[in-house]
Amino acid sequence: MKSLDKRKEIISVAMELLVENGFHGVPMSMIAARANVAVGTIYRYFAGKDELIYALFQELETSITAAIRERFPTTGAIRERFLYLNGIILQYLIDNPLHFRYLEQFMNSPYGVSMRRDRLLDKEGRNDIFMTLFEEAIAARIVKDIPINALFSLAIAPLIFLVRDHILGFVTLNEDLIRQTAEACWDAVRRNDCESGADRAR
Amino acid sequence: MKSLDKRKEIISVAMELLVENGFHGVPMSMIAARANVAVGTIYRYFAGKDELIYALFQELETSITAAIRERFPTTGAIRERFLYLNGIILQYLIDNPLHFRYLEQFMNSPYGVSMRRDRLLDKEGRNDIFMTLFEEAIAARIVKDIPINALFSLAIAPLIFLVRDHILGFVTLNEDLIRQTAEACWDAVRRNDCESGADRAR
Amino acid sequence: MKSLDKRKEIISVAMELLVENGFHGVPMSMIAARANVAVGTIYRYFAGKDELIYALFQELETSITAAIRERFPTTGAIRERFLYLNGIILQYLIDNPLHFRYLEQFMNSPYGVSMRRDRLLDKEGRNDIFMTLFEEAIAARIVKDIPINALFSLAIAPLIFLVRDHILGFVTLNEDLIRQTAEACWDAVRRNDCESGADRAR
Amino acid sequence: MKSLDKRKEIISVAMELLVENGFHGVPMSMIAARANVAVGTIYRYFAGKDELIYALFQELETSITAAIRERFPTTGAIRERFLYLNGIILQYLIDNPLHFRYLEQFMNSPYGVSMRRDRLLDKEGRNDIFMTLFEEAIAARIVKDIPINALFSLAIAPLIFLVRDHILGFVTLNEDLIRQTAEACWDAVRRNDCESGADRAR
DNA sequence: AATGAATGAGGGTTCATTCAT
DNA sequence: GATGAATGAACCCTCATTCAT
């Protein structure tokens, strides 16, 4: 097995186990055993358990960002791009439930909190696609005049919750429901006087 | 100190410590020390650490349910009740950031997952207030015709995300923003043809 | 077994094992097993292995200091007190070969070096009995006019070396030899013009 | 790099690191890295870590013995030869503090102990220069009539202690102090009735 | 000869839980 | 009821050594 394959195998196995058993329910030895490597080998690729957990997050972030970037249209009506973007994200999360569950656990653990604290400092501007879209929309006075964080929450949060329900089996997300939800999110962020409501009717 | 006081003290101390350091960053001995009891004493009130963690969740759930129930108006226009309900929840979470952060950590840990699995079985119908309201709204054809889980996500998720941002200092939630967000959530769930859009203008 | 007894047992067992196998040849588990306690118990009395090693040194230092102090005469001719002091030390080391070997290993390991570095800072004036004696002797112009460290080395170092040889079986230290060596050390430190040489003849 | 150069480089790097961090504070990988060779390469020159540590000791012993032998005068008054010998040793240790510190650590570790045990068996008669000198001196009734080990300790131990103090910065060894200490050591070993004391005045 | 990735036994340490007082 | 000393399984991590390249 090549070196890179080993790293990938470790990441893949770790993701699965950590999602299933929680960060503290998975000894390094368990990861090693399932990845068919020695414990020490993991430490050639990751400085420690914490670093492995962070690395998994970054791996996943890279993957989701790539997925979005490669499919996202840079032109077209804002509303259409918004709906399309939401659709992509929803689809990605449904297709990669492991990633979704890892993200949820990571973000709501001390790891995620400290990660966000670090990010606050070196503001690299993540989620830039969404942010760019919103900035354009704000300038065009198409969306509500509230802080961009609020817009972001209105646009994204329901998707996250729905995916969670979907994964837990409370609801089944089909194409129709995905579209409807994406549109509902748009309703939440757009200005909703009749005029701009009219743009739907065009 | 009375027996009940001890239990309360343990719960209060544990909540604080667990939120700050994560479930696995808090030894029982640390809780005992901060609560001014012996380690063994905790085991008189809770069967073990896991049970303590579950008990904390239940305490908190009781508290939040009570807060909602005691303030929620059973009459009035659906939209107004919806906005009011959202406002109560938001306010509760802002006033009790410890509860909020505990919930987030709990829900996204193996504890929360297994708890939800248990609930799936003995469907007790939590969140009944919201559900009742939605059922009424669906019957009145005021809200979109999508699964109730989707409605629930659209109504609640953005608030959760915003509170998280607020607690982390990304955004400051004042009364205006709370109202605007609650209304945006309503926009997401309501039927948004011009007619029902008009009901806002009434 | 009382708590204090346990601490003593751990110290005693640790001393023996560490002397025999070296600091790094003795796992905590080995100490625990021989002391008939659980591994964790050691950590109730010592913060960690390093601290245990330091504690052993201090234990031993206290013991040796006490042994010297309780027997040392505060009056009498300087030469007699010097010889007596050397005798006490020699006897102590011969009687407690474990202590001697522990000291040697400790002093010549990174532990001892860092300990001495710490002591340099908070100069507490150890070995004060010897130092006091020397200061008196210097004032009386009985000993050589060289730095006190040099005097100290001349007075003590040969004893240490001899004890080492004794323990290794290269030489057998009997009372005669002890006395002769102590006197030879005195010859090394005293002013050795005929006049002060004469004080021996008095 | 030639093979021999590699061996020398490994030895030199290892000496430095082992002195600074202790035998157990230096992984083989650290030595390899600092010597710019692969870990495996070290094992071509030394059978294992223990053997490396022994080899370092032997290198050093060879070096010190050579230094003494090449400078030591085989003729002259015993006292002068004694003083000269002590001077050589002292100078060597001061010039090679790394060797000194290595020796101290080695001798007082299980390595040194087992080495000495081995030597006991195949009595090779080390320190022969000193021993020869002493035997000559004993025969000439110039030194005290005590076991040769005792004489050796009196002659050498203070120097060792002083060098240690010097390296640790407790005292500064200049030429004067070196000479004075060497003479004091002579005072310790020589017969010190006035007559032989007079030989100093000659 | 040289490399360095891989190994895995072994070590220090933690901490949930128990139970004699 | 309350205490907290004692327990020991289990964890993370290190590093001497090997061996395929």
Side-chain angles (χ1 to χ4, degrees):
Chain A
M1 203 195 290
K2 294 266 183 61
S3 207
L4 274 182
D5 293 341
K6 236 162 214 170
R7 192 178 190 277
K8 274 189 178 161
E9 183 67 10
I10 291 167
I11 283 194
S12 153
V13 161
M15 179 86 71
E16 208 168 328
L17 289 173
L18 291 171
V19 161
E20 206 53 52
N21 306 97
F23 292 158
H24 293 274
V26 183
M28 292 299 261
S29 56
M30 192 191 283
I31 298 173
R34 275 270 268 274
N36 285 315
V37 297
V39 192
T41 304
I42 301 182
Y43 287 85
R44 287 202 61 74
Y45 297 97
F46 307 95
K49 194 178 184 183
D50 285 6
E51 284 71 17
L52 173 60
I53 287 172
Y54 282 118
L56 253 54
F57 169 72
Q58 270 147 16
E59 200 75 15
L60 179 164
E61 196 184 28
T62 305
S63 155
I64 198 169
T65 303
I68 291 174
R69 222 182 283 273
E70 78 186 12
R71 277 175 238 168
F72 185 63
T74 49
T75 61
I78 288 176
R79 176 171 178 271
E80 307 314 321
R81 277 191 281 157
F82 177 93
L83 292 180
Y84 195 72
L85 179 53
N86 261 8
I88 294 173
I89 295 174
L90 213 46
Q91 198 61 53
Y92 180 93
L93 296 178
I94 292 171
D95 292 345
N96 300 278
L98 233 44
H99 287 199
F100 176 75
R101 292 173 67 187
Y102 190 86
L103 262 181
E104 289 240 303
Q105 190 183 172
F106 180 85
M107 285 303 192
N108 295 289
S109 72
Y111 295 107
V113 170
S114 84
M115 185 273 288
R116 276 186 281 190
R117 247 198 285 277
D118 295 349
R119 293 256 167 111
L120 261 182
L121 297 178
D122 65 337
K123 275 260 184 215
E124 284 184 64
R126 312 273 161 167
N127 297 116
D128 34 7
I129 293 180
F130 239 120
M131 290 309 164
T132 310
L133 186 60
F134 273 140
E135 275 155 17
E136 197 182 329
I138 290 171
R141 303 181 57 83
I142 293 177
V143 296
K144 294 194 169 82
D145 186 25
I146 52 177
I148 206 162
N149 292 72
L151 289 175
F152 188 73
S153 293
L154 290 164
I156 277 289
L159 308 188
I160 309 288
F161 270 49
L162 254 192
V163 171
R164 194 190 291 160
D165 279 0
H166 171 80
I167 288 175
L168 285 171
F170 281 95
V171 71
T172 304
L173 277 173
N174 53 32
E175 258 186 43
D176 266 8
L177 187 47
I178 290 181
R179 188 181 38 74
Q180 287 168 326
T181 311
E183 284 182 357
C185 288
W186 174 251
D187 290 337
V189 298
R190 67 155 190 181
R191 280 171 191 273
N192 61 349
D193 42 308
C194 268
E195 192 196 355
S196 75
D199 79 340
R200 283 194 66 232
R202 252 185 294 167
Chain B
M1 205 195 290
K2 296 268 183 59
S3 213
L4 272 182
D5 293 340
K6 254 177 196 161
R7 192 177 190 278
K8 274 189 179 163
E9 184 66 10
I10 291 168
I11 283 193
S12 154
V13 161
M15 178 85 71
E16 207 168 329
L17 289 174
L18 292 171
V19 161
E20 207 54 52
N21 305 100
F23 291 159
H24 293 271
V26 184
M28 294 296 263
S29 57
M30 192 191 282
I31 297 173
R34 276 268 268 276
N36 287 315
V37 299
V39 199
T41 306
I42 300 181
Y43 286 83
R44 292 207 60 76
Y45 295 98
F46 307 93
K49 194 180 185 183
D50 286 5
E51 284 70 16
L52 173 59
I53 287 172
Y54 282 119
L56 253 54
F57 169 72
Q58 272 145 16
E59 283 288 317
L60 178 165
E61 196 182 30
T62 305
S63 156
I64 198 169
T65 304
I68 291 173
R69 223 181 282 273
E70 79 185 12
R71 277 176 236 166
F72 185 65
T74 46
T75 61
I78 288 178
R79 177 173 176 269
E80 307 315 321
R81 274 191 282 157
F82 176 92
L83 291 180
Y84 195 73
L85 179 54
N86 261 7
I88 293 172
I89 295 174
L90 212 48
Q91 199 61 51
Y92 180 91
L93 296 178
I94 291 171
D95 292 345
N96 301 278
L98 236 44
H99 287 198
F100 175 74
R101 292 174 66 188
Y102 190 86
L103 262 182
E104 289 240 303
Q105 192 183 170
F106 180 84
M107 284 303 191
N108 296 289
S109 71
Y111 294 106
V113 170
S114 85
M115 185 272 289
R116 277 185 283 197
R117 243 196 293 273
D118 296 349
R119 293 257 166 110
L120 263 181
L121 299 176
D122 65 337
K123 274 263 189 211
E124 284 185 64
R126 310 274 159 167
N127 299 115
D128 35 5
I129 293 181
F130 242 120
M131 292 309 164
T132 311
L133 186 59
F134 274 138
E135 274 154 17
E136 197 182 328
I138 290 169
R141 302 181 56 83
I142 293 177
V143 297
K144 294 193 169 85
D145 185 24
I146 52 179
I148 206 162
N149 292 75
L151 289 175
F152 185 71
S153 293
L154 289 164
I156 274 290
L159 306 188
I160 309 287
F161 270 48
L162 256 193
V163 170
R164 192 194 291 161
D165 279 1
H166 173 79
I167 288 175
L168 286 172
F170 282 94
V171 72
T172 305
L173 278 174
N174 52 34
E175 259 187 39
D176 265 10
L177 187 47
I178 290 181
R179 187 182 39 74
Q180 285 169 327
T181 312
E183 285 184 356
C185 288
W186 175 251
D187 291 336
V189 298
R190 69 159 187 176
R191 281 172 192 271
N192 60 349
D193 43 304
C194 268
E195 193 197 355
S196 74
D199 80 338
R200 283 192 67 234
R202 252 184 291 171
Chain C
M1 202 195 289
K2 293 267 183 61
S3 206
L4 273 181
D5 294 340
K6 236 164 213 169
R7 191 178 190 277
K8 274 189 179 162
E9 183 67 10
I10 291 168
I11 283 193
S12 153
V13 162
M15 179 86 71
E16 206 168 329
L17 289 173
L18 292 171
V19 161
E20 206 54 52
N21 305 97
F23 292 159
H24 293 274
V26 183
M28 293 297 262
S29 55
M30 191 190 283
I31 298 173
R34 277 269 267 274
N36 285 316
V37 297
V39 195
T41 304
I42 302 181
Y43 288 84
R44 287 203 60 75
Y45 296 97
F46 307 94
K49 193 177 184 184
D50 285 6
E51 285 70 18
L52 172 60
I53 288 172
Y54 282 118
L56 253 53
F57 168 73
Q58 270 146 16
E59 200 75 14
L60 178 165
E61 196 183 30
T62 304
S63 155
I64 199 168
T65 303
I68 291 174
R69 222 182 283 274
E70 78 185 10
R71 277 174 238 168
F72 185 64
T74 48
T75 60
I78 287 177
R79 176 173 178 272
E80 308 314 321
R81 276 190 282 157
F82 176 93
L83 292 180
Y84 195 71
L85 180 52
N86 262 7
I88 295 173
I89 295 174
L90 215 44
Q91 199 61 53
Y92 181 93
L93 296 178
I94 291 170
D95 293 345
N96 301 277
L98 233 45
H99 286 199
F100 175 75
R101 291 173 68 189
Y102 190 85
L103 262 182
E104 290 241 303
Q105 190 183 173
F106 180 85
M107 284 303 192
N108 295 290
S109 72
Y111 294 107
V113 170
S114 85
M115 186 272 288
R116 275 187 280 190
R117 247 198 286 276
D118 295 350
R119 293 255 167 113
L120 261 181
L121 298 177
D122 65 338
K123 276 258 185 218
E124 284 184 64
R126 312 273 162 167
N127 297 116
D128 34 7
I129 292 180
F130 240 121
M131 291 308 164
T132 310
L133 186 61
F134 273 140
E135 273 155 17
E136 196 181 329
I138 290 169
R141 303 181 57 83
I142 293 177
V143 297
K144 292 194 170 82
D145 185 24
I146 53 177
I148 206 162
N149 292 71
L151 289 175
F152 188 73
S153 293
L154 289 164
I156 277 288
L159 308 188
I160 309 288
F161 271 49
L162 254 192
V163 171
R164 194 191 291 160
D165 279 0
H166 172 80
I167 289 176
L168 284 171
F170 281 96
V171 71
T172 304
L173 277 173
N174 53 33
E175 257 185 44
D176 265 9
L177 188 47
I178 289 180
R179 189 182 37 75
Q180 286 169 325
T181 311
E183 284 182 356
C185 288
W186 175 251
D187 291 336
V189 298
R190 67 156 190 180
R191 281 170 192 272
N192 61 348
D193 43 308
C194 270
E195 192 197 355
S196 76
D199 79 340
R200 282 194 67 233
R202 253 184 292 168
Chain D
M1 206 195 287
K2 295 268 184 58
S3 212
L4 272 181
D5 292 341
K6 255 178 196 162
R7 191 176 191 278
K8 274 189 178 165
E9 184 67 9
I10 292 168
I11 283 193
S12 154
V13 161
M15 178 86 72
E16 206 168 328
L17 290 173
L18 292 171
V19 162
E20 206 54 52
N21 305 101
F23 292 158
H24 293 272
V26 183
M28 294 296 263
S29 57
M30 192 190 282
I31 297 172
R34 275 270 268 275
N36 286 315
V37 298
V39 199
T41 305
I42 300 181
Y43 286 85
R44 292 206 61 77
Y45 296 98
F46 307 94
K49 193 179 184 183
D50 285 5
E51 284 71 16
L52 173 60
I53 287 172
Y54 282 119
L56 252 55
F57 169 72
Q58 272 146 14
E59 283 287 318
L60 179 165
E61 196 182 30
T62 305
S63 155
I64 197 168
T65 304
I68 291 174
R69 222 182 283 274
E70 80 186 9
R71 278 175 235 168
F72 185 64
T74 48
T75 61
I78 288 177
R79 177 173 177 269
E80 308 314 322
R81 275 191 282 157
F82 176 92
L83 291 181
Y84 195 72
L85 180 53
N86 260 6
I88 293 173
I89 294 174
L90 211 47
Q91 200 61 52
Y92 181 92
L93 296 178
I94 291 171
D95 292 346
N96 301 277
L98 235 43
H99 287 199
F100 176 74
R101 293 173 66 189
Y102 190 86
L103 263 181
E104 290 240 303
Q105 193 182 169
F106 180 85
M107 284 303 192
N108 295 290
S109 71
Y111 295 106
V113 170
S114 84
M115 186 272 290
R116 277 186 285 198
R117 242 196 294 273
D118 296 348
R119 291 258 166 109
L120 264 181
L121 300 176
D122 65 338
K123 274 262 190 210
E124 285 184 64
R126 310 273 160 168
N127 299 115
D128 36 6
I129 294 180
F130 242 120
M131 291 308 164
T132 310
L133 186 61
F134 274 138
E135 274 155 18
E136 197 182 328
I138 290 170
R141 303 180 56 82
I142 293 177
V143 296
K144 293 192 169 85
D145 185 25
I146 52 178
I148 205 162
N149 292 75
L151 289 175
F152 185 73
S153 293
L154 289 164
I156 273 291
L159 306 188
I160 308 287
F161 270 49
L162 255 193
V163 170
R164 192 193 291 161
D165 278 2
H166 171 79
I167 288 175
L168 286 173
F170 282 94
V171 71
T172 304
L173 277 175
N174 53 32
E175 259 187 40
D176 265 11
L177 188 48
I178 290 180
R179 188 181 39 74
Q180 286 169 326
T181 313
E183 283 183 358
C185 288
W186 176 250
D187 291 338
V189 298
R190 68 159 189 178
R191 281 170 191 274
N192 60 347
D193 43 304
C194 267
E195 191 197 356
S196 75
D199 80 341
R200 281 193 69 234
R202 249 184 291 168

